[in-house]
Amino acid sequence: MNSIFRKKTIEALLAQSTQKDLKRTLSVLDLIFLGVGCVIGTGIFVITGVVAATSAGPALTLSFVIAGIACALAAFCYAEFSSSVPVSGSVYTYTYATLGEFFAFLIGWDLMLEYVLAMAAVSTGWSSYFQSFLTGFGLHFPTALGSAPLSGQGGIVNLPAVIIILLITALVSYGVKESVRFNNVMVILKIVVILAFIVTGIGYVKPENWSPFMPFGISGVITSAATVFFAYLGFDAIATASEEVKRPQRDMPIGIIGSLVVCTVLYIAVSAVLTGIVPYTKLNVDAPVSFALSFVGQDKIAGFISVGAVIGMVTVILALIYAQVRLSFVMSRDGLLPKPLSRLNKKRQTPFLNTWITGFIGAGIAGFLDLTTLAHLVNMGTLAAFTLVSIAIIILRKKFPDVKSTFRVPFVPVVPLLSALFCIYLSLSLPGITWISFIIWIAAGAVVYFLYGKKHSNLNVKS
């Protein structure tokens, strides 16, 4: 049993960070844009309306504040780890050094499902906005090709969702520098669109729409906070990029915390304006942000918002594919997944095969499966990752007090414990089916570990 708790030493991780498997091309601005690109997408353009209408009401702003506080506590832990151990793999890598191989594999297994489901869910949201955009020009996408078979909309395959994933997969497989440049431009356009909504919409806000402020009670606010965690997955995505950052010890904490601040402010502002323009009961629609402006007669700007949503969600898909590939790349390099997943294309220096496997799996899920139930697993996975990274930072401080870091979490162990408790509390508000699905997936991961990962692990080979 001792072998499943074997750990990678900090020295081995730091030595790994000096290897040149992946090119160091990312700046601190690239990291912030990667985080904003991943966080600001479906959460702001789709989930805000659904959550406001079904569980939060105008108190959606409070839900984002609660989720933001929980994320800030976890972000501090991510920031210290990423500056102490600047190796790709995020929570998987941090857990490997502190809690051991078995827990590292399980959280990596959890994150792989999380990224793929999030990618599929976002591409489904993108498909809805894209089809709405076409309808605005009098073009109607065939019903049979516009939704998944079990979505209840008479579809055979959600073709737009499949196509966008495969197009982004091609870009990510081509090269990191090219992907980042594309992402940065798209993020700038997305921020401009969101600011346009806030500036235009604030003039149509009616304070009476904020009353009752908390129609579903405090339990609805907490449930909504757990649901919108879907939106904050981007901070984990940043942590997977450590080995491709020029100055990771300095830039990683800035990128993680900087993107958190930007995203939380935008989420709170948009949710306040959105529920102020339209009564919350009317916001359970596919495109609530553009719907709100159409509601007050600003159809042209609503069309502009739809374009921005189409652009904006592309960056989320890009960041999720990037993060999933880097995570499985590192797990493969450690021997816990098949070695072909860590092979690099000699010309592009990207995990080419891994990228396309990820793209095809994501496209298959988005095209043919209804994600209503599965999407909750993304929130569960995020909360599990944030909980583990909070626990791991306490162990890092206790067992490796001499590890150098450019950022340190204040008031350890109080802040990490608060972070873990906050995340556990939010996870308890998720539906029972989510817990059952999560346990089944983790159990499947344990089987894969004992049948494959434990035997093929680099640490097993060395021992």
Side-chain angles (χ1 to χ4, degrees):
M1 288 295 293
N2 288 337
S3 62
I4 69 173
F5 296 107
R6 57 197 173 194
K7 302 175 181 66
K8 291 185 73 172
T9 65
I10 296 294
E11 291 77 15
L13 288 171
L14 292 176
Q16 202 170 49
S17 70
T18 62
Q19 295 177 4
K20 297 183 178 179
D21 291 341
L22 301 169
K23 289 183 178 179
R24 292 194 178 276
T25 58
L26 303 182
S27 67
V28 65
L29 193 61
D30 293 330
L31 287 177
I32 292 174
F33 279 4
L34 180 66
V36 174
C38 189
V39 174
I40 301 293
T42 305
I44 210 164
F45 291 115
V46 178
I47 293 179
T48 46
V50 175
V51 172
T54 60
S55 59
L60 176 63
T61 52
L62 186 55
S63 296
F64 275 115
V65 170
I66 293 171
I69 291 171
C71 284
L73 296 174
F76 289 154
C77 300
Y78 271 102
E80 178 167 343
F81 257 121
S82 62
S83 63
S84 304
V85 188
V87 182
S88 293
S90 182
V91 183
Y92 158 78
T93 297
Y94 309 150
T95 304
Y96 214 153
T98 54
L99 296 172
E101 183 176 275
F102 180 60
F103 289 106
F105 182 88
L106 289 185
I107 197 62
W109 180 259
D110 163 58
L111 287 171
M112 285 195 298
L113 177 70
E114 178 185 342
Y115 285 132
V116 171
L117 289 183
M119 179 201 319
V122 173
S123 66
T124 301
W126 181 90
S127 175
S128 295
Y129 263 96
F130 179 70
Q131 292 179 61
S132 175
F133 175 70
L134 291 180
T135 302
F137 289 95
L139 303 174
H140 298 281
F141 204 81
T143 302
L145 303 179
S147 61
L150 299 178
S151 63
Q153 300 176 36
I156 298 174
V157 60
N158 194 332
L159 190 59
V162 171
I163 291 174
I164 192 61
I165 287 180
L166 295 181
L167 287 175
I168 298 301
T169 298
L171 176 62
V172 174
S173 69
Y174 186 73
V176 175
K177 186 180 293 186
E178 293 78 8
S179 301
V180 167
R181 286 175 179 169
F182 175 81
N183 180 74
N184 292 353
V185 172
M186 295 296 102
V187 168
I188 291 171
L189 291 174
K190 177 162 55 175
I191 292 175
V192 168
V193 166
I194 292 170
L195 292 177
F197 168 76
I198 295 170
V199 171
T200 304
I202 201 167
Y204 293 94
V205 168
K206 295 180 179 179
E208 57 266 29
N209 286 334
W210 291 330
S211 181
F213 181 69
M214 204 181 293
F216 300 95
I218 189 64
S219 62
V221 173
I222 298 299
T223 299
S224 300
T227 303
V228 299
F229 245 84
F230 174 92
Y232 284 103
L233 179 59
F235 306 115
D236 191 82
I238 295 176
T240 65
S242 291
E243 289 180 47
E244 291 166 282
V245 179
K246 294 175 183 176
R247 291 178 290 182
Q249 284 88 351
R250 189 204 74 161
D251 293 350
M252 291 296 291
I254 297 173
I256 291 170
I257 296 172
S259 57
L260 170 66
V261 172
V262 172
C263 294
T264 302
V265 169
L266 289 178
Y267 270 122
I268 292 172
V270 168
S271 57
V273 172
L274 184 66
T275 54
I277 296 176
V278 183
Y280 72 90
T281 53
K282 298 182 179 181
L283 286 173
N284 192 6
V285 293
D286 289 336
V289 176
S290 56
F291 168 78
L293 290 179
S294 295
F295 185 80
V296 294
Q298 291 288 345
D299 291 320
K300 289 184 178 179
I301 299 180
F304 177 63
I305 297 296
S306 293
V307 174
V310 169
I311 292 172
M313 282 188 272
V314 167
T315 67
V316 183
I317 299 169
L318 187 152
L320 291 170
I321 293 175
Y322 174 87
Q324 159 66 15
V325 171
R326 269 51 187 179
L327 171 63
S328 51
F329 169 85
V330 174
M331 293 179 71
S332 169
R333 189 173 63 184
D334 290 338
L336 299 180
L337 292 177
K339 285 295 184 182
L341 295 178
S342 56
R343 281 191 202 137
L344 295 178
N345 180 279
K346 291 182 179 179
K347 182 178 180 181
R348 309 307 312 178
Q349 284 296 293
T350 61
F352 191 85
L353 176 64
N354 189 338
T355 305
W356 278 102
I357 290 174
T358 298
F360 280 120
I361 292 174
I365 294 173
F368 298 100
L369 295 181
D370 176 35
L371 297 174
T372 304
T373 301
L374 294 178
H376 281 293
L377 275 173
V378 179
N379 304 315
M380 189 68 181
T382 305
L383 289 164
F386 284 9
T387 300
L388 265 189
V389 79
S390 303
I391 295 170
I393 204 72
I394 298 173
I395 298 173
L396 180 74
R397 287 285 191 92
K398 185 174 179 62
K399 291 191 173 183
F400 309 101
D402 298 326
V403 173
K404 295 181 180 179
S405 174
T406 56
F407 179 90
R408 291 177 71 82
V409 179
F411 307 113
V412 172
V414 176
V415 169
L417 283 174
L418 284 174
S419 174
L421 291 173
F422 221 142
C423 292
I424 292 170
Y425 176 64
L426 289 176
S427 68
L428 292 175
S429 70
L430 290 171
I433 186 64
T434 302
W435 275 92
I436 294 171
S437 302
F438 178 74
I439 292 170
I440 291 172
W441 179 251
I442 292 299
V447 172
V448 172
Y449 172 76
F450 284 111
L451 292 181
Y452 183 89
K454 183 173 180 289
K455 178 182 177 181
H456 294 84
S457 166
N458 292 349
L459 294 187
N460 187 59
V461 173
K462 289 178 182 178
S463 62

